[in-house]
Amino acid sequence: MLDLLHEIEREFAGHPEEEVSEAERLAVVETRRSFRRMLQALALATVLLLFFSSERLVTWVNGFEVGSVQDAIVSVSTDWHSLMADAGFTMPAETVRAELDELHGADWAELRRRIERERARTRDGVRFLRGAVPDSKS
Amino acid sequence: MLFPTIEFGIFFLVVFAASWAVRDMPELRKLFLLGASYFFYGWWDWRFLGLLFLSTLINYLAGLALERTEHVGFRKFIVGVAVVAGLSILGFFKYYGFFLTSLSVLLESVGLSRDLPFMQVILPVGISFFTFQGISYVVDIYRGHVRAERSLTNVMLYISFFPQLVAGPIVRAADFLPQLHRPVRLTRAHIGVGVVLILSGLLKKMFVANYLATELVDPVFFDPTVVGALDLLIGVYGYAIQIYCDFSGYSDIAIGVAALLGYRFLENFDQPYRAASLQDFWRRWHISLSTWLRDYLYVPLGGNRHGEVKTYRNLFLTMFLGGIWHGAAWTFVFWGAFHGSMLAVERYARRQIEFFAPAETAPGGLMTALGNGAQHLVGIVWTFHLVCFAWIFFRADSFATAGSYLAGLVRWGETSQYVTPFLVWLIVIAMIFQFTPRHLGRWLAKGVQHLPAPLLGLLLGGGIWLIWAIAPEGVAPFIYFQF
């Protein structure tokens, strides 16, 4: 993947002398655009994480040493997290976490049961499509 | 300051924004990045900032001295002084305790107990990496691969640049210093490569490596006598994946962060467990170290230029010293010696096979292709298990633990305690990624580089959110920090 960066260096170095200044000008323009684009992306990512991963913020600030400034930061972070939890922003992470915990805690017997359940569901689906199983709702 | 932490996230945001804001003032930008790198290093222990500076200064002055003289003998003397100075600093901090403990045991065994000057020496983070970079700088000037830098700032930034400072990749002066002389650029490709590498590195480290470490590898290696063969076998496979995801994850983030700051590092891993021979493995594993050992140790020892026997000796010595570089313990020495011996055995076997059964040069039929495929497959399985055998010594805290581990591999009657579907799934998925197309990362980066800012932000924020959601709590330190 890093050859992508190398290609750009080669492309830049490969310009004839008279075209270098033009290439440099274009490079300056592209750098300015890319910087702005990346900065916007980083800002958006930060906002997303502040809203949807506020519990990580609380875990982080709880590791601070004791002090008046630190206590204030902890208090603000905890309030922020409560606000996000009340607004439902923390729910997606909790759902994903719960799904993973289920997978994580499953033993081999549980895995076999799950596979059987999925197989049965697939069999029923196929039979339903063929009209062999009556649709209870209809 | 570990990469997958909020501290580092804030630090990077500031460095990214400020360093690109001053891009029209290259000298100021370099000074800023240097200050940020020293801040990054001082975050661990500010007392070692002086050591980092001293190590850099020795190499900088040696470089200037080399540039000013053409007398071969004096040039050799300068290189010798710089290398010995660097290795002495590394030796004192890394091997002082190990040397005295080993000496004490030796003296006791022959009935000559002595009071030795033991003391608690703290190992400065990243010392092995910045020492090797310093040596590479001086030797490259001596060999004429790079010119001595007149600017101390450039040499300081080369050695201390924060993405690679504490655990590599080991960057070569000939690769990095010319980048400091060119106008710095940030292109779509830099963004694509940077984002893909940072996300893949975080996933490898925070999800795969951390789960395998806490739920499989640490408990199994803690006391191998209380678990059965299946746990031990999956435990060492787990460690093979853990150390790969841990270290290549760190390298990915380092290379990605450097790319977003406009610099290019070389690749450090290339799907190492798909290697069909040990030689191939070392072309794919920790590439910056293996090429460093090749260029600054194996080649000066004579490489393969002085006959077969000396080639085997050089292979062995290079890997043996590579083992010692990893850590001050006899288990690392064994690990290096094992790899060195097996590389020599492999080379000998290959030459014998080539002599007695030379490879077909003409294109063969289906049977030939099947035969070659089967041979390649056997090579992959064999190499992976050789590497895993050596990992047992690398991970075990002593020979006794490694011995118990190997002895336990025959206890097949015991019920498994740690082999769960989740952990097996993690290992299998990680192994599958060893065999995906080599250009998968490039394709992903090419896709990402054209995303508009909002989608890029969604990808980055969503990716980190998902990794945080599925990763275990807390951040374990990277394995290679101890080296």
Side-chain angles (χ1 to χ4, degrees), chain B residues 322-338:
Chain B
I324 294 176
W325 175 87
H326 276 85
W330 287 107
T331 46
F332 289 119
V333 174
F334 177 84
W335 176 80
F338 176 78

Side-chain angles (χ1 to χ4, degrees), chain B residues 42-125:
Chain B
W43 190 269
W44 268 287
D45 199 331
W46 59 269
R47 290 172 299 174
F48 292 123
L49 287 174
L51 183 72
L52 178 61
F53 178 70
L54 177 71
S55 174
T56 310
L57 191 65
I58 291 169
N59 293 307
Y60 170 72
L61 293 175
L64 286 184
L66 279 171
E67 192 85 343
R68 277 161 197 253
T69 178
E70 291 187 355
H71 188 274
V72 177
F74 190 53
R75 284 170 66 83
K76 279 188 179 169
F77 173 75
I78 294 166
V79 173
V81 169
V83 171
V84 168
L87 291 180
S88 303
I89 295 172
L90 177 66
F92 172 74
F93 283 99
K94 198 160 176 176
Y95 305 105
Y96 182 81
F98 172 63
F99 174 72
L100 280 196
T101 310
S102 301
L103 186 65
S104 167
V105 170
L106 184 72
L107 290 176
E108 269 178 35
S109 67
V110 293
L112 290 170
S113 292
R114 290 283 184 280
D115 282 336
L116 297 172
F118 280 101
M119 59 178 155
Q120 193 72 38
V121 181
I122 303 168
L123 180 68
V125 175

Side-chain angles (χ1 to χ4, degrees), chain A residues 3 37 56 60 97 104 108, chain B residues 7 215 449 451 468-469 471:
Chain A
D3 47 357
R37 190 161 72 101
R56 284 269 172 178
W60 178 56
R97 183 92 225 158
H104 179 218
W108 293 102
Chain B
E7 286 101 312
E215 303 204 357
Q449 70 181 13
L451 291 179
W468 271 355

